[in-house]
Amino acid sequence: MYYLGLDVGNSTIKVALTNGHSGEKVNTFQVPINEIKSFQSEGTGSDYESFWLLVCSAIKNLITDSKIDAKKISGIGISYQMQELALINADPQQTKETVTFKNLSVSDLKWLSENDRNKYNQIDKFILLGDFITFKLTHTISTTKDGLSELGLWHCETDALDEDALHRYQIKKSMIPTIVENFRNQGLVTPDASQDTGIPVGTPILFRAAHQASTALATNIFNPGEVAISTQSPTRIYALTNSSNPNQNISIGYNVPIGKSVVFKGGCLQYEWLKKQFKESSYDIMDRKASEIPIGAEGVTVFPFGNGAECMLKNANIGTIIKGVNLKNHSKGHVFRATLEGIAFAMVYAMENLKTNGIEVHTINAVNDMLIQSEVFVNTLTSLVELKIETYNTDLAVNAARACCLHLGDFKQYQDIIYKNDHAQTFELLKNREPYIEAYQHWKNELEIILKNHL
């Protein structure tokens, strides 16, 4: 028995097969989205149809390359980036007339309501990218709570649609698709979809979630007080809680707890920018140079907020700021260390904000990505949060496949599978935390002065 997972990111479509019993990865295959040139520019209905053809091609290639009997595929899981919004006409057969918007925003619906009433009146439903894939596979139109929540249309406290948001964006309730659970049978593969993909008719879709919830799942967090972090661009902190304070960005998780997320747009992008500007050949070399500099970077501080307004700063746009550089005494190693520390400091600052909103963090699991592999970064982070950090080699396509087993309700078995297959490393607390605390307090004081002057 196998499970098949799909993950749609910013630049690739990846599909994976896992063993339905052990969760072990069998094979993966991916294709670049940039093969659809129009998909990168102004959206049209044909973009989604071309996109669907890429999905079909990836699945067929995976099945062929894996040399398996497709009849043994017992379920499908879908993970997707919040990229596009598709508007479906009243007749679901008219997929070629689907409208898409680049840079997803529900405000596009309000704009249509006010500026193109003709087009607005033709809308039957709006769906997200993962919903579109489900629609093509099953010919059913549905969505999930976590998708609606990331759009700001779901009220977590009442566990219902946010009436105020619907009114604000002039969205009719009739436009909301049927809402299904993340871990339930969400429809069966149709004969047409079977012909397109090679997946047998009647195969169920058993999991669907956007990337935030998928990442939390892939890093093995399930309970209030547990936090998942990913340092890739954009850096994300996703905390599970039973509280629904409206002052935080909120996304419904995949089980009972509510997920509150902080998206940090600067983060990893800041370090990537440094690598390019200093023409360094690898991040390992940068980390080695940073590790040669004392904690606190001898007075150099970096505020890595150079990618637009940040929610943790109450949407202030202060840009990247590098302070304290002495041209006689400081090297690029100081800037590298100050940047790694600055990104870690920003994440601690964001988690402190979560704490003031009622979240007591007791567990941190992280995607084993670029910054987590930096000794300077991870030592700074663990020292300040006073918690060990467990890291996982996550692959959202593989995890989407594994998550299919959760329709049976055995979350403990799933957690064991993730730990056995993906756990990478445990970073323990350092004994001497004082230099990190002192450096963070200096950075935080400087940030508060910057914010005061900015406002």
Side-chain angles (χ1 to χ4, degrees):
M1 178 177 75
Y2 304 100
Y3 288 129
L4 186 146
L6 295 96
D7 176 52
V8 183
N10 286 321
S11 57
T12 62
I13 298 167
K14 188 171 185 178
V15 290
L17 278 174
T18 61
N19 183 295
H21 301 290
S22 68
E24 185 178 357
K25 180 178 74 174
V26 176
N27 199 6
T28 61
F29 188 89
Q30 68 181 36
V31 293
I33 290 178
N34 60 17
E35 287 186 12
I36 309 175
K37 294 181 180 179
S38 62
F39 201 70
Q40 304 299 316
S41 55
E42 183 180 356
T44 64
S46 61
D47 288 344
Y48 264 27
E49 291 308 309
S50 298
F51 172 80
W52 169 243
L53 292 178
L54 271 188
V55 171
C56 296
S57 173
I59 294 173
K60 283 184 173 180
N61 276 285
L62 174 69
I63 293 172
T64 300
D65 189 56
S66 303
K67 297 181 173 59
I68 65 160
D69 180 359
K71 293 178 181 178
K72 293 183 179 180
I73 298 174
S74 299
I76 303 166
I78 299 171
S79 171
Y80 64 97
Q81 185 79 4
M82 299 289 290
Q83 273 181 309
E84 300 271 340
L85 184 66
L87 306 182
I88 297 183
N89 292 334
D91 181 3
Q93 297 284 355
Q94 299 178 20
T95 54
K96 292 185 178 179
E97 295 180 27
T98 296
V99 181
T100 66
F101 289 95
K102 197 67 179 172
N103 301 321
L104 171 65
S105 172
V106 290
S107 60
D108 290 320
L109 294 175
K110 182 178 181 181
W111 185 93
L112 274 180
S113 172
E114 296 173 345
N115 296 278
D116 193 342
R117 200 67 193 180
N118 242 1
K119 183 70 71 176
Y120 180 82
N121 288 335
Q122 293 174 22
I123 300 170
D124 179 48
K125 297 287 187 292
F126 69 83
I127 56 175
L128 299 167
L129 197 52
D131 306 333
F132 174 78
I133 296 171
T134 302
F135 166 61
K136 295 297 289 186
L137 285 169
T138 67
H139 206 63
T140 58
I141 301 174
S142 61
T143 192
T144 57
K145 291 178 184 179
D146 72 294
L148 291 173
S149 182
E150 290 197 33
L151 290 175
L153 301 178
W154 191 262
H155 196 283
C156 296
E157 188 172 357
T158 61
D159 196 26
L161 289 168
D162 190 323
E163 300 284 349
D164 291 339
L166 295 179
H167 177 74
R168 183 165 60 251
Y169 293 112
Q170 299 184 33
I171 298 173
K172 296 181 291 187
K173 275 189 177 181
S174 61
M175 291 180 180
I176 307 292
T178 300
I179 299 170
V180 298
E181 297 296 326
N182 298 89
F183 304 135
R184 292 292 183 272
N185 187 331
Q186 302 173 21
L188 307 176
V189 172
T190 65
D192 285 345
S194 176
Q195 186 173 356
D196 289 342
T197 64
I199 301 172
V201 174
T203 304
I205 294 181
L206 299 175
F207 168 74
R208 182 189 351 167
H211 270 185
Q212 287 195 75
S214 293
T215 300
L217 189 67
T219 52
N220 232 353
I221 70 167
F222 284 83
N223 303 301
E226 296 178 346
V227 171
I229 62 175
S230 170
T231 62
Q232 291 182 339
S233 185
T235 299
R236 294 181 184 273
I237 302 169
Y238 191 91
L240 295 187
T241 175
N242 282 328
S243 167
S244 55
N245 190 313
N247 293 324
Q248 283 293 330
N249 291 337
I250 299 174
S251 299
I252 291 294
Y254 36 76
N255 198 10
V256 177
I258 294 168
K260 297 188 178 182
S261 67
V262 177
V263 179
F264 175 21
K265 295 183 290 185
C268 181
L269 187 62
Q270 173 79 31
Y271 208 49
E272 292 173 356
W273 181 83
L274 280 182
K275 181 175 181 288
K276 182 178 179 181
Q277 298 305 314
F278 283 99
K279 296 180 171 58
E280 294 291 342
S281 59
S282 73
Y283 291 111
D284 287 341
I285 291 175
M286 293 173 68
D287 193 48
R288 179 177 57 77
K289 291 178 179 178
S291 66
E292 294 169 354
I293 307 300
I295 297 166
E298 297 184 325
V300 180
T301 52
V302 172
F303 303 88
F305 302 111
N307 192 26
E310 296 283 2
C311 64
M312 75 172 78
L313 305 180
K314 297 182 179 178
N315 292 319
N317 187 356
I318 65 174
T320 286
I321 299 172
I322 302 175
K323 298 187 67 175
V325 174
N326 184 308
L327 299 179
K328 290 183 179 179
N329 300 327
H330 293 142
S331 65
K332 58 184 176 181
H334 288 83
V335 179
F336 294 163
R337 174 153 203 132
T339 297
L340 289 168
E341 289 182 344
I343 297 169
F345 292 161
M347 296 183 74
V348 173
Y349 185 79
M351 282 190 267
E352 286 180 350
N353 289 340
L354 290 175
K355 187 174 182 179
T356 62
N357 283 276
I359 300 179
E360 292 293 335
V361 178
H362 59 72
T363 299
I364 297 179
N365 291 352
V367 177
N368 190 29
D369 51 23
M370 188 181 80
L371 292 183
I372 289 295
Q373 295 172 17
S374 162
E375 182 179 356
V376 171
F377 174 82
V378 79
N379 283 344
T380 303
L381 191 59
T382 54
S383 296
L384 294 172
V385 298
E386 298 184 69
L387 293 168
K388 67 180 180 180
I389 296 177
E390 305 279 1
T391 64
Y392 288 82
N393 294 320
T394 62
D395 182 318
L396 293 185
V398 171
N399 184 69
R402 288 179 182 149
C404 289
C405 72
L406 288 171
H407 79 284
L408 300 172
D410 192 342
F411 284 79
K412 177 61 168 62
Q413 180 190 23
Y414 172 85
Q415 288 181 290
D416 291 343
I417 286 173
I418 293 297
Y419 192 88
K420 178 181 178 181
N421 287 282
D422 293 346
H423 184 263
Q425 190 173 354
T426 300
F427 291 97
E428 302 287 351
L429 292 174
L430 299 181
K431 291 182 179 180
N432 184 13
R433 299 174 48 246
E434 290 305 316
Y436 293 100
I437 295 172
E438 182 180 342
Y440 174 61
Q441 195 57 54
H442 171 72
W443 181 93
K444 186 177 178 180
N445 292 340
E446 290 287 325
L447 176 62
E448 289 173 353
I449 293 171
I450 292 169
L451 290 174
K452 183 178 179 180
N453 292 335
H454 181 79
L455 298 174

